[in-house]
Amino acid sequence: MYTHIIVHYDEITLKGGNRPFFERVLVDNIREFLKDIKYDNFYKEGGKIILNINKNTDLEKIKKTLKNIPGISNFNFAVLEEKNLEKINKKTVELLKNYLKTENEKNLRQTQDDRKNEIKTFKIEARRADKKFALKSPEINAKVGEYVIENMKLKVDVHSPDLDVIIDIGYKQCYIYFEKTIGIGGLPVGTTGNLISLISGGIDSPVASFMMNKRGAKNIFVHFKNKTIAGQNDGQDKIEKLVKQLCKFQGKSKLYVIAFEKFQKKIIVNIPSKNRMIVYRRIMFKIAGEIAKKEKAKGFVTGDSLSQVASQTIDNISAIYNIAKLPIFPPLIGMNKQEIINIAEKIDTYNISILPYQDCCSFLIAIHPETRANLEEILKQENNIKIDRMINDVILNNKPTIIEL
Ligand code: ATP
Ligand code: MG
């Protein structure tokens, strides 16, 4: 029944002179994400992106895909009609009848508890991009509304209707639609820059990466692995699975896996146990800084949440972040664990994150780790570990794995 999908975008509309750039990136992203889906074409029309679909279009698949593209605030399945009131009336009733029938059938397949309330009321909401159209919006609302009442057993409720029917009068044609699917909103990936995302395999860091996707950033993933404790290949599978899941939001992704055992050995010899976690994490940022140079990334992403674990007290976070030469973005810093878990479940990373895996940070961890780091003391202790050459070698020989959905 549907011939078009109307894609509405979010904050792009606020971007003033940069708007064409943001729109272009969103269009490119949509094209890339839909490359395995059959549709006719798409075009931009008056602040919307419109996809022309056909009978071979897999509606469920396209819906799932568009729901995950940052920058899209919502979209509707629609039909096209000429800008002629009589035709609009007829098409609206035909579409409504069809819709109610499918909804009823869907409901019959549901259990009593999952059944939706029957649709009894509606409201027509006309939008007019074409201000030259003969009828003004309130007149369209009244006329189409009247026709629907005459031809169907529905009542008007302008305050809280069961169904909002949109009559969207564009410059060339008119679109009719009602079912709105909410997207993730925010900004298109690729509009704000590349970030190095430190991904650990836990629950938090994948959520942090997703949050930065919503703000238009693309993550280049770095994972530090101690193969002595994680096993040669164990765990890497898990990290790759997580990154694959995150490709749903940012497309094709790069993952650097850095052998961390050599660095940890040096740290264990030179740094007292209570400070080791802090130094592990400082060294991670030092190495990630070299990858940032190579990748022309402008900052780092971590899954830190204030005081969730010992390494995340204010003093420890400042001692750790102090080593970084680029800004660090910890989008979960003020979130509670349960709030983070809720997002992890929504973006389908939670079930992967809870698979067993020995993170390198758990290696020889102190029973009483420092919670009030003293940076001067740490800097003195770090003087004894000479790792610049090791870092150079690791970076030179490391090729990222490319992961796709
Ligand atoms: P997560 O659930 O993301 O593992 P966490 O609550 O377990 O976080 P930590 O283990 O202290 O906290 O790690 C804090 C952050 O440091 C992580 O979110 C991640 O960004 C980074 N990090 C920790 N371990 C690694 C690792 N092995 N490789 C890459 N980044 C890591
Ligand atoms: Mg962790």
Side-chain angles (χ1 to χ4, degrees), residues 355-388:
L355 296 171
Y357 176 54
Q358 281 285 339
D359 186 67
C360 65
C361 278
S362 53
F363 188 42
L364 293 189
I365 199 65
I367 298 167
H368 298 294
E370 181 60 77
T371 53
R372 304 181 71 177
N374 175 333
L375 185 59
E376 259 174 54
E377 179 188 280
I378 289 175
L379 289 173
K380 257 190 225 146
Q381 293 168 355
E382 273 181 8
N383 263 336
N384 302 322
I385 51 172
K386 304 273 179 282
I387 50 169
D388 286 353

PDB file of all heavy atoms in Angstrom, residues 355-388:
ATOM      1  N   LEU A 355      28.996 -11.636  28.287  1.00  0.00           N
ATOM      2  CA  LEU A 355      29.699 -12.901  28.048  1.00  0.00           C
ATOM      3  C   LEU A 355      31.004 -12.877  28.848  1.00  0.00           C
ATOM      4  O   LEU A 355      31.613 -11.822  29.016  1.00  0.00           O
ATOM      5  CB  LEU A 355      30.029 -13.065  26.553  1.00  0.00           C
ATOM      6  CG  LEU A 355      28.840 -13.168  25.595  1.00  0.00           C
ATOM      7  CD1 LEU A 355      29.327 -13.107  24.148  1.00  0.00           C
ATOM      8  CD2 LEU A 355      28.072 -14.452  25.852  1.00  0.00           C
ATOM      9  N   PRO A 356      31.463 -14.023  29.340  1.00  0.00           N
ATOM     10  CA  PRO A 356      32.669 -14.018  30.182  1.00  0.00           C
ATOM     11  C   PRO A 356      33.908 -13.571  29.394  1.00  0.00           C
ATOM     12  O   PRO A 356      34.048 -13.916  28.220  1.00  0.00           O
ATOM     13  CB  PRO A 356      32.808 -15.490  30.604  1.00  0.00           C
ATOM     14  CG  PRO A 356      31.971 -16.268  29.654  1.00  0.00           C
ATOM     15  CD  PRO A 356      30.891 -15.364  29.163  1.00  0.00           C
ATOM     16  N   TYR A 357      34.731 -12.758  30.024  1.00  0.00           N
ATOM     17  CA  TYR A 357      35.976 -12.310  29.393  1.00  0.00           C
ATOM     18  C   TYR A 357      36.871 -11.703  30.456  1.00  0.00           C
ATOM     19  O   TYR A 357      36.411 -10.915  31.276  1.00  0.00           O
ATOM     20  CB  TYR A 357      35.659 -11.260  28.315  1.00  0.00           C
ATOM     21  CG  TYR A 357      36.876 -10.638  27.654  1.00  0.00           C
ATOM     22  CD1 TYR A 357      37.854 -11.445  27.067  1.00  0.00           C
ATOM     23  CD2 TYR A 357      37.032  -9.256  27.598  1.00  0.00           C
ATOM     24  CE1 TYR A 357      38.964 -10.882  26.454  1.00  0.00           C
ATOM     25  CE2 TYR A 357      38.139  -8.681  26.976  1.00  0.00           C
ATOM     26  CZ  TYR A 357      39.099  -9.497  26.409  1.00  0.00           C
ATOM     27  OH  TYR A 357      40.187  -8.940  25.801  1.00  0.00           O
ATOM     28  N   GLN A 358      38.140 -12.076  30.434  1.00  0.00           N
ATOM     29  CA  GLN A 358      39.096 -11.530  31.401  1.00  0.00           C
ATOM     30  C   GLN A 358      39.671 -10.247  30.827  1.00  0.00           C
ATOM     31  O   GLN A 358      40.522 -10.270  29.949  1.00  0.00           O
ATOM     32  CB  GLN A 358      40.254 -12.521  31.589  1.00  0.00           C
ATOM     33  CG  GLN A 358      39.940 -13.686  32.509  1.00  0.00           C
ATOM     34  CD  GLN A 358      39.931 -13.251  33.960  1.00  0.00           C
ATOM     35  OE1 GLN A 358      40.513 -12.230  34.314  1.00  0.00           O
ATOM     36  NE2 GLN A 358      39.250 -13.998  34.801  1.00  0.00           N
ATOM     37  N   ASP A 359      39.214  -9.108  31.312  1.00  0.00           N
ATOM     38  CA  ASP A 359      39.787  -7.852  30.828  1.00  0.00           C
ATOM     39  C   ASP A 359      41.190  -7.691  31.398  1.00  0.00           C
ATOM     40  O   ASP A 359      41.462  -8.104  32.514  1.00  0.00           O
ATOM     41  CB  ASP A 359      38.905  -6.675  31.260  1.00  0.00           C
ATOM     42  CG  ASP A 359      39.398  -5.370  30.654  1.00  0.00           C
ATOM     43  OD1 ASP A 359      39.313  -5.243  29.426  1.00  0.00           O
ATOM     44  OD2 ASP A 359      39.884  -4.504  31.396  1.00  0.00           O
ATOM     45  N   CYS A 360      42.072  -7.091  30.584  1.00  0.00           N
ATOM     46  CA  CYS A 360      43.462  -6.973  31.022  1.00  0.00           C
ATOM     47  C   CYS A 360      43.584  -6.153  32.302  1.00  0.00           C
ATOM     48  O   CYS A 360      44.536  -6.302  33.064  1.00  0.00           O
ATOM     49  CB  CYS A 360      44.315  -6.367  29.917  1.00  0.00           C
ATOM     50  SG  CYS A 360      43.856  -4.688  29.521  1.00  0.00           S
ATOM     51  N   CYS A 361      42.606  -5.286  32.554  1.00  0.00           N
ATOM     52  CA  CYS A 361      42.690  -4.439  33.741  1.00  0.00           C
ATOM     53  C   CYS A 361      42.520  -5.240  35.018  1.00  0.00           C
ATOM     54  O   CYS A 361      42.906  -4.807  36.094  1.00  0.00           O
ATOM     55  CB  CYS A 361      41.651  -3.324  33.682  1.00  0.00           C
ATOM     56  SG  CYS A 361      42.221  -1.967  32.689  1.00  0.00           S
ATOM     57  N   SER A 362      41.914  -6.431  34.890  1.00  0.00           N
ATOM     58  CA  SER A 362      41.712  -7.224  36.104  1.00  0.00           C
ATOM     59  C   SER A 362      43.003  -7.966  36.479  1.00  0.00           C
ATOM     60  O   SER A 362      43.063  -8.635  37.504  1.00  0.00           O
ATOM     61  CB  SER A 362      40.569  -8.212  35.889  1.00  0.00           C
ATOM     62  OG  SER A 362      40.819  -8.956  34.718  1.00  0.00           O
ATOM     63  N   PHE A 363      44.036  -7.838  35.648  1.00  0.00           N
ATOM     64  CA  PHE A 363      45.276  -8.581  35.856  1.00  0.00           C
ATOM     65  C   PHE A 363      46.067  -8.000  37.033  1.00  0.00           C
ATOM     66  O   PHE A 363      46.423  -6.818  37.033  1.00  0.00           O
ATOM     67  CB  PHE A 363      46.093  -8.531  34.565  1.00  0.00           C
ATOM     68  CG  PHE A 363      47.306  -9.413  34.579  1.00  0.00           C
ATOM     69  CD1 PHE A 363      47.249 -10.694  35.108  1.00  0.00           C
ATOM     70  CD2 PHE A 363      48.494  -8.946  34.045  1.00  0.00           C
ATOM     71  CE1 PHE A 363      48.372 -11.505  35.096  1.00  0.00           C
ATOM     72  CE2 PHE A 363      49.616  -9.759  34.033  1.00  0.00           C
ATOM     73  CZ  PHE A 363      49.554 -11.039  34.556  1.00  0.00           C
ATOM     74  N   LEU A 364      46.362  -8.838  37.983  1.00  0.00           N
ATOM     75  CA  LEU A 364      47.150  -8.456  39.159  1.00  0.00           C
ATOM     76  C   LEU A 364      46.687  -7.132  39.765  1.00  0.00           C
ATOM     77  O   LEU A 364      47.467  -6.224  40.000  1.00  0.00           O
ATOM     78  CB  LEU A 364      48.650  -8.359  38.793  1.00  0.00           C
ATOM     79  CG  LEU A 364      49.326  -9.668  38.431  1.00  0.00           C
ATOM     80  CD1 LEU A 364      50.827  -9.466  38.302  1.00  0.00           C
ATOM     81  CD2 LEU A 364      49.046 -10.764  39.458  1.00  0.00           C
ATOM     82  N   ILE A 365      45.422  -7.074  39.967  1.00  0.00           N
ATOM     83  CA  ILE A 365      44.868  -5.843  40.504  1.00  0.00           C
ATOM     84  C   ILE A 365      45.065  -5.802  42.024  1.00  0.00           C
ATOM     85  O   ILE A 365      45.044  -6.829  42.693  1.00  0.00           O
ATOM     86  CB  ILE A 365      43.368  -5.717  40.097  1.00  0.00           C
ATOM     87  CG1 ILE A 365      42.908  -4.291  40.214  1.00  0.00           C
ATOM     88  CG2 ILE A 365      42.477  -6.623  40.849  1.00  0.00           C
ATOM     89  CD1 ILE A 365      43.600  -3.393  39.264  1.00  0.00           C
ATOM     90  N   ALA A 366      45.300  -4.605  42.560  1.00  0.00           N
ATOM     91  CA  ALA A 366      45.565  -4.477  43.998  1.00  0.00           C
ATOM     92  C   ALA A 366      44.304  -4.781  44.793  1.00  0.00           C
ATOM     93  O   ALA A 366      43.193  -4.509  44.344  1.00  0.00           O
ATOM     94  CB  ALA A 366      46.028  -3.057  44.287  1.00  0.00           C
ATOM     95  N   ILE A 367      44.499  -5.335  45.977  1.00  0.00           N
ATOM     96  CA  ILE A 367      43.343  -5.585  46.849  1.00  0.00           C
ATOM     97  C   ILE A 367      42.810  -4.245  47.362  1.00  0.00           C
ATOM     98  O   ILE A 367      41.619  -4.032  47.484  1.00  0.00           O
ATOM     99  CB  ILE A 367      43.740  -6.513  48.017  1.00  0.00           C
ATOM    100  CG1 ILE A 367      44.193  -7.854  47.428  1.00  0.00           C
ATOM    101  CG2 ILE A 367      42.554  -6.747  48.974  1.00  0.00           C
ATOM    102  CD1 ILE A 367      44.892  -8.760  48.409  1.00  0.00           C
ATOM    103  N   HIS A 368      43.751  -3.328  47.627  1.00  0.00           N
ATOM    104  CA  HIS A 368      43.350  -1.983  48.064  1.00  0.00           C
ATOM    105  C   HIS A 368      43.877  -0.937  47.085  1.00  0.00           C
ATOM    106  O   HIS A 368      44.894  -0.305  47.338  1.00  0.00           O
ATOM    107  CB  HIS A 368      43.892  -1.693  49.472  1.00  0.00           C
ATOM    108  CG  HIS A 368      43.363  -2.631  50.491  1.00  0.00           C
ATOM    109  ND1 HIS A 368      42.032  -2.665  50.851  1.00  0.00           N
ATOM    110  CD2 HIS A 368      43.969  -3.605  51.207  1.00  0.00           C
ATOM    111  CE1 HIS A 368      41.849  -3.625  51.742  1.00  0.00           C
ATOM    112  NE2 HIS A 368      43.013  -4.208  51.977  1.00  0.00           N
ATOM    113  N   PRO A 369      43.203  -0.766  45.964  1.00  0.00           N
ATOM    114  CA  PRO A 369      43.707   0.204  44.986  1.00  0.00           C
ATOM    115  C   PRO A 369      43.602   1.630  45.523  1.00  0.00           C
ATOM    116  O   PRO A 369      42.746   1.915  46.366  1.00  0.00           O
ATOM    117  CB  PRO A 369      42.792   0.008  43.784  1.00  0.00           C
ATOM    118  CG  PRO A 369      41.558  -0.602  44.325  1.00  0.00           C
ATOM    119  CD  PRO A 369      41.923  -1.366  45.546  1.00  0.00           C
ATOM    120  N   GLU A 370      44.478   2.478  45.004  1.00  0.00           N
ATOM    121  CA  GLU A 370      44.449   3.893  45.386  1.00  0.00           C
ATOM    122  C   GLU A 370      43.115   4.493  44.922  1.00  0.00           C
ATOM    123  O   GLU A 370      42.635   4.199  43.841  1.00  0.00           O
ATOM    124  CB  GLU A 370      45.625   4.611  44.684  1.00  0.00           C
ATOM    125  CG  GLU A 370      45.767   6.068  44.987  1.00  0.00           C
ATOM    126  CD  GLU A 370      45.978   6.339  46.468  1.00  0.00           C
ATOM    127  OE1 GLU A 370      47.090   6.138  46.956  1.00  0.00           O
ATOM    128  OE2 GLU A 370      45.011   6.764  47.141  1.00  0.00           O
ATOM    129  N   THR A 371      42.525   5.322  45.747  1.00  0.00           N
ATOM    130  CA  THR A 371      41.330   6.034  45.275  1.00  0.00           C
ATOM    131  C   THR A 371      41.586   7.538  45.211  1.00  0.00           C
ATOM    132  O   THR A 371      40.788   8.283  44.659  1.00  0.00           O
ATOM    133  CB  THR A 371      40.111   5.786  46.202  1.00  0.00           C
ATOM    134  OG1 THR A 371      40.500   6.092  47.534  1.00  0.00           O
ATOM    135  CG2 THR A 371      39.612   4.359  46.100  1.00  0.00           C
ATOM    136  N   ARG A 372      42.738   8.000  45.833  1.00  0.00           N
ATOM    137  CA  ARG A 372      43.052   9.428  45.766  1.00  0.00           C
ATOM    138  C   ARG A 372      44.455   9.593  45.189  1.00  0.00           C
ATOM    139  O   ARG A 372      45.429   9.860  45.899  1.00  0.00           O
ATOM    140  CB  ARG A 372      42.961  10.042  47.159  1.00  0.00           C
ATOM    141  CG  ARG A 372      41.595   9.799  47.763  1.00  0.00           C
ATOM    142  CD  ARG A 372      41.458  10.393  49.111  1.00  0.00           C
ATOM    143  NE  ARG A 372      41.407  11.858  49.014  1.00  0.00           N
ATOM    144  CZ  ARG A 372      41.230  12.642  50.065  1.00  0.00           C
ATOM    145  NH1 ARG A 372      41.130  12.127  51.275  1.00  0.00           N
ATOM    146  NH2 ARG A 372      41.176  13.940  49.912  1.00  0.00           N
ATOM    147  N   ALA A 373      44.527   9.407  43.865  1.00  0.00           N
ATOM    148  CA  ALA A 373      45.836   9.398  43.195  1.00  0.00           C
ATOM    149  C   ALA A 373      46.603  10.691  43.438  1.00  0.00           C
ATOM    150  O   ALA A 373      46.018  11.772  43.459  1.00  0.00           O
ATOM    151  CB  ALA A 373      45.621   9.205  41.704  1.00  0.00           C
ATOM    152  N   ASN A 374      47.927  10.540  43.588  1.00  0.00           N
ATOM    153  CA  ASN A 374      48.798  11.686  43.700  1.00  0.00           C
ATOM    154  C   ASN A 374      49.627  11.731  42.420  1.00  0.00           C
ATOM    155  O   ASN A 374      50.519  10.899  42.203  1.00  0.00           O
ATOM    156  CB  ASN A 374      49.674  11.482  44.942  1.00  0.00           C
ATOM    157  CG  ASN A 374      50.710  12.587  45.089  1.00  0.00           C
ATOM    158  OD1 ASN A 374      51.129  13.206  44.111  1.00  0.00           O
ATOM    159  ND2 ASN A 374      51.114  12.826  46.323  1.00  0.00           N
ATOM    160  N   LEU A 375      49.321  12.692  41.571  1.00  0.00           N
ATOM    161  CA  LEU A 375      49.916  12.708  40.237  1.00  0.00           C
ATOM    162  C   LEU A 375      51.441  12.818  40.280  1.00  0.00           C
ATOM    163  O   LEU A 375      52.140  12.139  39.532  1.00  0.00           O
ATOM    164  CB  LEU A 375      49.309  13.851  39.401  1.00  0.00           C
ATOM    165  CG  LEU A 375      49.754  13.899  37.942  1.00  0.00           C
ATOM    166  CD1 LEU A 375      49.406  12.623  37.186  1.00  0.00           C
ATOM    167  CD2 LEU A 375      49.122  15.096  37.214  1.00  0.00           C
ATOM    168  N   GLU A 376      51.947  13.669  41.194  1.00  0.00           N
ATOM    169  CA  GLU A 376      53.411  13.838  41.284  1.00  0.00           C
ATOM    170  C   GLU A 376      54.105  12.512  41.580  1.00  0.00           C
ATOM    171  O   GLU A 376      55.104  12.162  40.950  1.00  0.00           O
ATOM    172  CB  GLU A 376      53.737  14.823  42.401  1.00  0.00           C
ATOM    173  CG  GLU A 376      54.054  16.212  41.879  1.00  0.00           C
ATOM    174  CD  GLU A 376      54.232  17.198  43.022  1.00  0.00           C
ATOM    175  OE1 GLU A 376      55.059  16.912  43.923  1.00  0.00           O
ATOM    176  OE2 GLU A 376      53.514  18.207  43.025  1.00  0.00           O
ATOM    177  N   GLU A 377      53.501  11.783  42.540  1.00  0.00           N
ATOM    178  CA  GLU A 377      54.076  10.487  42.922  1.00  0.00           C
ATOM    179  C   GLU A 377      54.038   9.533  41.713  1.00  0.00           C
ATOM    180  O   GLU A 377      55.029   8.857  41.405  1.00  0.00           O
ATOM    181  CB  GLU A 377      53.231   9.924  44.073  1.00  0.00           C
ATOM    182  CG  GLU A 377      53.664   8.570  44.595  1.00  0.00           C
ATOM    183  CD  GLU A 377      52.621   8.022  45.598  1.00  0.00           C
ATOM    184  OE1 GLU A 377      52.657   8.451  46.768  1.00  0.00           O
ATOM    185  OE2 GLU A 377      51.773   7.196  45.193  1.00  0.00           O
ATOM    186  N   ILE A 378      52.909   9.536  41.015  1.00  0.00           N
ATOM    187  CA  ILE A 378      52.777   8.639  39.854  1.00  0.00           C
ATOM    188  C   ILE A 378      53.786   9.002  38.766  1.00  0.00           C
ATOM    189  O   ILE A 378      54.432   8.131  38.184  1.00  0.00           O
ATOM    190  CB  ILE A 378      51.330   8.666  39.315  1.00  0.00           C
ATOM    191  CG1 ILE A 378      50.421   7.944  40.324  1.00  0.00           C
ATOM    192  CG2 ILE A 378      51.212   8.016  37.948  1.00  0.00           C
ATOM    193  CD1 ILE A 378      48.957   7.992  40.005  1.00  0.00           C
ATOM    194  N   LEU A 379      53.959  10.304  38.514  1.00  0.00           N
ATOM    195  CA  LEU A 379      54.907  10.731  37.475  1.00  0.00           C
ATOM    196  C   LEU A 379      56.318  10.265  37.828  1.00  0.00           C
ATOM    197  O   LEU A 379      57.066   9.795  36.956  1.00  0.00           O
ATOM    198  CB  LEU A 379      54.872  12.254  37.301  1.00  0.00           C
ATOM    199  CG  LEU A 379      53.601  12.802  36.633  1.00  0.00           C
ATOM    200  CD1 LEU A 379      53.569  14.334  36.656  1.00  0.00           C
ATOM    201  CD2 LEU A 379      53.472  12.292  35.196  1.00  0.00           C
ATOM    202  N   LYS A 380      56.682  10.367  39.116  1.00  0.00           N
ATOM    203  CA  LYS A 380      58.013   9.906  39.553  1.00  0.00           C
ATOM    204  C   LYS A 380      58.164   8.419  39.302  1.00  0.00           C
ATOM    205  O   LYS A 380      59.174   7.964  38.757  1.00  0.00           O
ATOM    206  CB  LYS A 380      58.182  10.191  41.067  1.00  0.00           C
ATOM    207  CG  LYS A 380      59.066  11.409  41.329  1.00  0.00           C
ATOM    208  CD  LYS A 380      59.398  11.483  42.812  1.00  0.00           C
ATOM    209  CE  LYS A 380      59.229  12.927  43.275  1.00  0.00           C
ATOM    210  NZ  LYS A 380      58.735  13.029  44.652  1.00  0.00           N
ATOM    211  N   GLN A 381      57.133   7.657  39.680  1.00  0.00           N
ATOM    212  CA  GLN A 381      57.213   6.201  39.507  1.00  0.00           C
ATOM    213  C   GLN A 381      57.279   5.827  38.022  1.00  0.00           C
ATOM    214  O   GLN A 381      57.988   4.896  37.633  1.00  0.00           O
ATOM    215  CB  GLN A 381      55.994   5.525  40.168  1.00  0.00           C
ATOM    216  CG  GLN A 381      56.013   5.662  41.679  1.00  0.00           C
ATOM    217  CD  GLN A 381      54.680   5.256  42.325  1.00  0.00           C
ATOM    218  OE1 GLN A 381      53.705   4.954  41.651  1.00  0.00           O
ATOM    219  NE2 GLN A 381      54.668   5.263  43.656  1.00  0.00           N
ATOM    220  N   GLU A 382      56.570   6.598  37.204  1.00  0.00           N
ATOM    221  CA  GLU A 382      56.557   6.292  35.755  1.00  0.00           C
ATOM    222  C   GLU A 382      57.904   6.567  35.097  1.00  0.00           C
ATOM    223  O   GLU A 382      58.210   5.995  34.054  1.00  0.00           O
ATOM    224  CB  GLU A 382      55.478   7.127  35.038  1.00  0.00           C
ATOM    225  CG  GLU A 382      54.121   6.478  35.034  1.00  0.00           C
ATOM    226  CD  GLU A 382      53.087   7.321  34.285  1.00  0.00           C
ATOM    227  OE1 GLU A 382      53.456   8.333  33.655  1.00  0.00           O
ATOM    228  OE2 GLU A 382      51.900   6.962  34.349  1.00  0.00           O
ATOM    229  N   ASN A 383      58.725   7.448  35.713  1.00  0.00           N
ATOM    230  CA  ASN A 383      60.044   7.758  35.166  1.00  0.00           C
ATOM    231  C   ASN A 383      60.887   6.522  34.909  1.00  0.00           C
ATOM    232  O   ASN A 383      61.743   6.516  34.039  1.00  0.00           O
ATOM    233  CB  ASN A 383      60.821   8.655  36.151  1.00  0.00           C
ATOM    234  CG  ASN A 383      60.675  10.097  35.730  1.00  0.00           C
ATOM    235  OD1 ASN A 383      60.414  10.373  34.559  1.00  0.00           O
ATOM    236  ND2 ASN A 383      60.820  11.013  36.678  1.00  0.00           N
ATOM    237  N   ASN A 384      60.628   5.473  35.697  1.00  0.00           N
ATOM    238  CA  ASN A 384      61.433   4.255  35.569  1.00  0.00           C
ATOM    239  C   ASN A 384      60.985   3.349  34.431  1.00  0.00           C
ATOM    240  O   ASN A 384      61.683   2.412  34.085  1.00  0.00           O
ATOM    241  CB  ASN A 384      61.378   3.448  36.873  1.00  0.00           C
ATOM    242  CG  ASN A 384      61.876   4.285  38.036  1.00  0.00           C
ATOM    243  OD1 ASN A 384      62.824   5.057  37.878  1.00  0.00           O
ATOM    244  ND2 ASN A 384      61.224   4.156  39.185  1.00  0.00           N
ATOM    245  N   ILE A 385      59.798   3.597  33.904  1.00  0.00           N
ATOM    246  CA  ILE A 385      59.386   2.690  32.819  1.00  0.00           C
ATOM    247  C   ILE A 385      59.629   3.351  31.464  1.00  0.00           C
ATOM    248  O   ILE A 385      59.120   4.411  31.153  1.00  0.00           O
ATOM    249  CB  ILE A 385      57.914   2.203  32.947  1.00  0.00           C
ATOM    250  CG1 ILE A 385      56.937   3.366  33.153  1.00  0.00           C
ATOM    251  CG2 ILE A 385      57.750   1.211  34.073  1.00  0.00           C
ATOM    252  CD1 ILE A 385      55.486   2.942  33.077  1.00  0.00           C
ATOM    253  N   LYS A 386      60.478   2.680  30.702  1.00  0.00           N
ATOM    254  CA  LYS A 386      60.845   3.239  29.390  1.00  0.00           C
ATOM    255  C   LYS A 386      60.070   2.470  28.320  1.00  0.00           C
ATOM    256  O   LYS A 386      60.387   1.319  28.030  1.00  0.00           O
ATOM    257  CB  LYS A 386      62.359   3.090  29.157  1.00  0.00           C
ATOM    258  CG  LYS A 386      63.218   3.732  30.253  1.00  0.00           C
ATOM    259  CD  LYS A 386      63.465   5.215  29.937  1.00  0.00           C
ATOM    260  CE  LYS A 386      64.294   5.906  30.997  1.00  0.00           C
ATOM    261  NZ  LYS A 386      63.537   6.267  32.221  1.00  0.00           N
ATOM    262  N   ILE A 387      59.064   3.111  27.763  1.00  0.00           N
ATOM    263  CA  ILE A 387      58.211   2.350  26.830  1.00  0.00           C
ATOM    264  C   ILE A 387      58.017   3.034  25.476  1.00  0.00           C
ATOM    265  O   ILE A 387      57.292   2.518  24.634  1.00  0.00           O
ATOM    266  CB  ILE A 387      56.815   2.072  27.440  1.00  0.00           C
ATOM    267  CG1 ILE A 387      56.206   3.349  27.978  1.00  0.00           C
ATOM    268  CG2 ILE A 387      56.861   0.985  28.489  1.00  0.00           C
ATOM    269  CD1 ILE A 387      54.758   3.205  28.349  1.00  0.00           C
ATOM    270  N   ASP A 388      58.686   4.166  25.250  1.00  0.00           N
ATOM    271  CA  ASP A 388      58.439   4.880  23.984  1.00  0.00           C
ATOM    272  C   ASP A 388      58.746   4.016  22.764  1.00  0.00           C
ATOM    273  O   ASP A 388      57.977   4.003  21.798  1.00  0.00           O
ATOM    274  CB  ASP A 388      59.233   6.187  23.941  1.00  0.00           C
ATOM    275  CG  ASP A 388      58.604   7.228  24.869  1.00  0.00           C
ATOM    276  OD1 ASP A 388      57.507   6.937  25.398  1.00  0.00           O
ATOM    277  OD2 ASP A 388      59.201   8.311  25.066  1.00  0.00           O
TER     278      ASP A 388
END
